[in-house]
Amino acid sequence: MDETNKVPVGTVPKLADVARVAGVSTATVSRCLNLPDQVKEKTMRKVMDAIDSLGYSPNYSARALAANRTNTVGAIIPTMDNAIFARGIQAFQEELHKSGCTLLVASSSYEEDLEEEQIRTLTARGADALLLIGYHRQPRVYEFLKKRRIPALVAWAYNPDQPQLAVGFNNHAAMKSLAREVLERGHRKIACITAPTGSNDRARDRVLGVKEGLRDAGLDPDGLTIIETNYSIENGAQAFQELMTLDERPTAVMCGNDVLAVGALKAATEMGLKIPDDVSITGFDDIELASVAPVPLTTVHVPHRRMGQFAAQALIETLDSGQTGESHELPTNICFRGTLAPPPEK
Amino acid sequence: MDETNKVPVGTVPKLADVARVAGVSTATVSRCLNLPDQVKEKTMRKVMDAIDSLGYSPNYSARALAANRTNTVGAIIPTMDNAIFARGIQAFQEELHKSGCTLLVASSSYEEDLEEEQIRTLTARGADALLLIGYHRQPRVYEFLKKRRIPALVAWAYNPDQPQLAVGFNNHAAMKSLAREVLERGHRKIACITAPTGSNDRARDRVLGVKEGLRDAGLDPDGLTIIETNYSIENGAQAFQELMTLDERPTAVMCGNDVLAVGALKAATEMGLKIPDDVSITGFDDIELASVAPVPLTTVHVPHRRMGQFAAQALIETLDSGQTGESHELPTNICFRGTLAPPPEK
DNA sequence: TTGTACGCGTTATCAG
DNA sequence: CTGATAACGCGTACAA
């Protein structure tokens, strides 16, 4: 056998090894992989055989350095330990995979500063594009992204007034229509349990939706009792108990998400309250938990998986075409279950 | 100002730009970043100032190519859309971040072939190490990893007989001790609802645990009725209904995970059965769902977050020391709640 | 259609 | 302690 056909052992084969074995140049091997229709079929076969026999696979770092593209998309989410993100991100990842992209994830723990740091990290790591949750962040972050020419897409929120590429739903409008339902049932003392709204526009918009519902019904939006607490069943329960110690107990408690709502529900049951007769409770997101709760939860359904898919498609399209893809507003709908009494007879 | 201090605009600053602005060589800049105590403090200051003023951050692809290390760890999980993985992976990612590592994720959709493909993809992308779920995979996959010298850690399972680095729990033993509890309560007709066991050793070990419990109690393990179905509440419900149409109805249904168990519970309630009086039901994992189910679920608690943390630590240690870290068996414990009747009086 | 040769941004070796 | 400079593995003009 020809001396030149030998290949180092105990080492990862590289492009040059494939070229040597196939008896072609490295450029040709590269073309076989990236521009398949620019090579003759016979050459292609030789190269592919060499690739198989060596078990070659390209070094992505080198490829990224040379081509200035990583085929990697970054996502920064508050936490994966939350069904609403987990499901959407799973769909996002599946969709990316169809296009040969890999997902790089980081989490911000709902902290604005940490999110900014993660954005810089993923950028340095060469993410071709970024998925971000919600709109709220410092202007300098958007400027940084623009300067770096890194397409960023906002998900889990859609606001027609914002210029940013987005795939999501209108938190404000969805919550407002749920509030309208609650008000139609005669509730006048309403309270909200919400995640901290400081750097969370989704949570903020939902509360604003309730307030606007109140205003439309001729009520004072400032009279709305609001408790902010972190995302957990326990916290939801505790907040509910606090509400029940108030002088004027609310007759309906609208929660910013299903987890808080289930916590409220749990506390209510433990206090011996009948749901929805004594108090009505509503959620948001429609995660699995909602339908199996002791009293099935009335909540706002959000198409998480479709959102993840659309987000991936919009980003891939942007990368392929070089032009910012289209924003996409997804519909939400109210799931009436057991925690909100039926409307009064007409 | 000196001509040489100028730096291109509208472009991402690189190491050479920092060097020029700081008036040192690129080697020195690199050292400031990687071997800080090999440079004089004064030099360090100049360089850091230049870095700040330029907003420089290193190009990880180039770094990876030159240093042959990506500071990236890959994880291949069946799906993130499952609380048991989502929680553990979140902790895993947080822990990696403490060590400056970023997480690359891929999902296998519970498919063996897809998992193998993903393993090859992530290694090609330069993952320094890999997190895998469970032991079951083709020997050639382990050989590939060994040849490539890529540390791989198995999580969500721990089997003292396997040589592979692992951080997890003993599925077999945990389920066996739960089975013992069920048997002690006088149940003799037991059925299992489990995820498909074909390429899922965790599911398989859990079923085997039940069988061994049966054997120890002097019962025939082959008499165990088993239904395999995919992970979802709906499927759990349907499987339960099937079980109830059997000639000899089981008095206890042991489910391979909480989601299937909650489905069973739901079906039972809809059929008008009293839990645990008419039928006992058990789960596995202790996800949030378990404690808020209509009847709180008796299940096996697994420390998902700690598992994720330990897994990250073991991998980082392996990477840093160059020697395979230590496997770690985590304890599980049974959470007695409402779906298994208390033991008979003694 | 194929080959040559250079550049991508860092790290690391070896002098100084 | 610092500076040249050669890798690292691949993509891609440009030439043939």
Side-chain angles (χ1 to χ4, degrees):
Chain A
M1 187 175 281
D2 190 334
E3 180 70 16
T4 60
N5 270 16
K6 285 197 184 152
V7 144
V9 298
T11 229
V12 181
K14 49 193 197 189
L15 199 64
D17 298 322
V18 176
R20 203 174 318 120
V21 170
V24 300
S25 73
T26 60
T28 298
V29 178
S30 178
R31 274 189 289 261
C32 286
L33 265 21
N34 303 306
L35 307 162
D37 36 39
Q38 279 189 27
V39 308
K40 235 180 10 201
E41 193 178 321
K42 193 178 162 192
T43 313
M44 181 64 115
R45 281 190 51 88
K46 281 194 301 188
V47 170
M48 284 312 179
D49 287 349
I51 287 179
D52 287 345
S53 75
L54 290 175
Y56 166 81
S57 68
N59 178 319
Y60 279 74
S61 299
R63 175 177 277 187
L65 186 57
N68 200 29
R69 195 198 211 239
T70 59
N71 279 303
T72 291
V73 169
I76 297 155
I77 52 181
T79 173
M80 288 160 73
D81 185 10
N82 178 327
I84 79 166
F85 298 123
R87 173 163 299 184
I89 290 295
Q90 173 63 28
F92 183 70
Q93 188 262 323
E94 286 172 17
E95 196 68 26
L96 286 181
H97 183 245
K98 289 184 191 165
S99 303
C101 274
T102 299
L103 177 64
L104 215 40
V105 285
S107 63
S108 66
S109 305
Y110 288 99
E111 285 178 39
E112 195 171 348
D113 293 349
L114 195 47
E115 195 215 26
E116 185 172 346
E117 182 200 322
Q118 302 280 29
I119 288 175
R120 293 182 194 278
T121 302
L122 293 194
T123 305
R125 290 203 179 253
D128 290 332
L130 249 35
L131 174 82
L132 303 173
I133 307 296
Y135 290 94
H136 179 90
R137 51 189 57 81
Q138 302 293 331
R140 66 165 174 273
V141 176
Y142 285 116
E143 281 155 20
F144 169 79
L145 258 13
K146 194 193 288 181
K147 203 167 73 184
R148 285 288 186 100
R149 302 248 173 91
I150 308 219
L153 178 146
V154 165
W156 270 259
Y158 176 86
N159 184 332
D161 303 332
Q162 305 263 179
Q164 190 65 37
L165 173 63
V167 171
F169 46 92
N170 192 322
N171 287 283
H172 180 275
M175 196 65 158
K176 182 177 167 185
S177 68
L178 181 58
R180 193 181 303 125
E181 295 288 344
V182 171
L183 288 162
E184 269 180 15
R185 284 157 177 76
H187 292 284
R188 285 303 172 264
K189 280 302 296 175
I190 297 179
C192 279
I193 303 177
T194 173
T197 55
S199 59
N200 183 334
D201 51 290
R202 289 101 56 216
R204 199 160 50 222
D205 281 353
R206 293 177 192 180
V207 172
L208 287 176
V210 175
K211 287 194 178 178
E212 199 167 306
L214 249 26
R215 190 178 298 117
D216 284 5
L219 300 172
D220 177 18
D222 295 333
L224 183 68
T225 307
I226 300 170
I227 296 187
E228 293 198 359
T229 186
N230 284 317
Y231 178 95
S232 89
I233 291 186
E234 262 331 297
N235 287 339
Q238 198 181 319
F240 184 85
Q241 286 169 353
E242 278 181 45
L243 287 175
M244 290 303 120
T245 64
L246 259 36
D247 286 346
E248 282 196 277
R249 282 189 173 195
T251 61
V253 176
M254 299 187 68
C255 302
N257 60 61
D258 285 351
V259 171
L260 292 176
V262 167
L265 191 55
K266 196 178 169 195
T269 310
E270 282 166 6
M271 294 169 76
L273 294 172
K274 288 272 173 250
I275 307 297
D277 301 336
D278 297 333
V279 194
S280 283
I281 294 175
T282 64
F284 201 113
D285 289 332
D286 192 23
I287 60 176
E288 234 165 19
L289 209 56
S291 58
V292 271
V295 183
L297 195 64
T298 291
T299 187
V300 176
H301 175 79
V302 174
H304 292 297
R305 282 195 57 89
R306 278 208 297 152
M307 183 163 56
Q309 285 163 4
F310 283 169
Q313 286 162 5
L315 241 21
I316 296 282
E317 188 196 322
T318 302
L319 287 175
D320 287 348
S321 72
Q323 305 184 14
T324 303
E326 266 186 77
S327 290
H328 216 309
E329 179 176 7
L330 294 167
T332 58
N333 61 283
I334 302 176
C335 289
F336 292 99
R337 291 202 268 252
T339 56
L340 178 62
E345 305 283 336
K346 296 204 174 174
Chain B
M1 187 175 280
D2 190 334
E3 180 71 17
T4 59
N5 270 16
K6 286 198 183 151
V7 143
V9 297
T11 236
V12 181
K14 51 193 195 190
L15 200 64
D17 297 322
V18 177
R20 201 173 319 120
V21 170
V24 300
S25 72
T26 59
T28 298
V29 177
S30 178
R31 272 189 292 260
C32 287
L33 264 21
N34 303 306
L35 308 161
D37 36 39
Q38 280 189 26
V39 308
K40 232 175 19 195
E41 193 178 321
K42 195 178 160 193
T43 313
M44 181 64 116
R45 281 190 52 86
K46 279 194 302 187
V47 171
M48 284 312 179
D49 286 350
I51 287 179
D52 286 346
S53 75
L54 290 175
Y56 166 81
S57 69
N59 178 319
Y60 279 74
S61 299
R63 174 177 277 187
L65 184 59
N68 199 30
R69 195 200 212 239
T70 59
N71 279 305
T72 291
V73 170
I76 297 155
I77 51 181
T79 174
M80 287 159 72
D81 185 9
N82 177 328
I84 79 166
F85 298 124
R87 173 163 300 183
I89 290 294
Q90 173 63 29
F92 183 70
Q93 188 263 323
E94 286 172 15
E95 196 68 27
L96 286 181
H97 183 246
K98 288 183 192 166
S99 303
C101 275
T102 300
L103 177 64
L104 214 40
V105 285
S107 64
S108 67
S109 306
Y110 288 99
E111 284 179 39
E112 195 171 348
D113 294 350
L114 196 46
E115 195 214 27
E116 186 171 345
E117 182 201 321
Q118 302 281 29
I119 288 175
R120 292 182 194 281
T121 302
L122 293 195
T123 53
R125 290 202 178 254
D128 290 331
L130 250 35
L131 174 83
L132 303 173
I133 307 296
Y135 290 95
H136 179 91
R137 50 189 58 82
Q138 302 293 331
R140 66 164 174 274
V141 176
Y142 285 116
E143 281 155 21
F144 169 79
L145 257 15
K146 194 192 289 180
K147 203 167 72 185
R148 285 289 186 101
R149 301 249 172 91
I150 307 216
L153 178 146
V154 165
W156 270 259
Y158 176 86
N159 185 332
D161 303 331
Q162 304 262 182
Q164 190 65 38
L165 173 64
V167 171
F169 45 92
N170 192 321
N171 287 283
H172 180 274
M175 196 64 158
K176 182 177 167 186
S177 68
L178 181 58
R180 193 182 303 126
E181 295 289 343
V182 172
L183 288 161
E184 268 180 17
R185 284 156 176 76
H187 293 284
R188 285 303 172 265
K189 281 303 296 176
I190 297 180
C192 278
I193 303 177
T194 172
T197 55
S199 58
N200 182 335
D201 52 290
R202 288 102 57 216
R204 200 160 49 221
D205 281 353
R206 292 177 192 180
V207 173
L208 287 176
V210 176
K211 287 194 177 179
E212 200 167 306
L214 250 24
R215 189 178 299 116
D216 283 5
L219 300 172
D220 177 17
D222 295 335
L224 183 67
T225 307
I226 301 170
I227 295 186
E228 293 198 358
T229 186
N230 285 316
Y231 178 95
S232 89
I233 291 185
E234 261 331 297
N235 287 338
Q238 198 180 321
F240 184 86
Q241 286 169 352
E242 278 180 46
L243 287 176
M244 290 303 121
T245 64
L246 260 36
D247 286 346
E248 282 195 276
R249 282 187 173 195
T251 61
V253 177
M254 300 186 67
C255 301
N257 60 62
D258 285 350
V259 171
L260 291 176
V262 167
L265 191 55
K266 196 177 168 195
T269 311
E270 283 166 6
M271 294 169 77
L273 295 171
K274 287 271 171 251
I275 308 295
D277 301 336
D278 297 333
V279 193
S280 283
I281 294 175
T282 64
F284 201 113
D285 289 332
D286 192 24
I287 59 176
E288 233 166 19
L289 208 56
S291 59
V292 276
V295 184
L297 195 65
T298 291
T299 188
V300 176
H301 175 79
V302 174
H304 293 297
R305 283 194 56 89
R306 278 208 298 152
M307 183 163 57
Q309 286 163 3
F310 283 168
Q313 286 162 5
L315 241 22
I316 296 282
E317 189 196 322
T318 303
L319 249 22
D320 287 348
S321 73
Q323 307 184 14
T324 303
E326 266 186 78
S327 290
H328 215 310
E329 179 176 6
L330 295 167
T332 59
N333 61 283
I334 302 176
C335 288
F336 292 99
R337 290 202 268 253
T339 58
L340 178 63
E345 305 284 336
K346 296 206 173 173

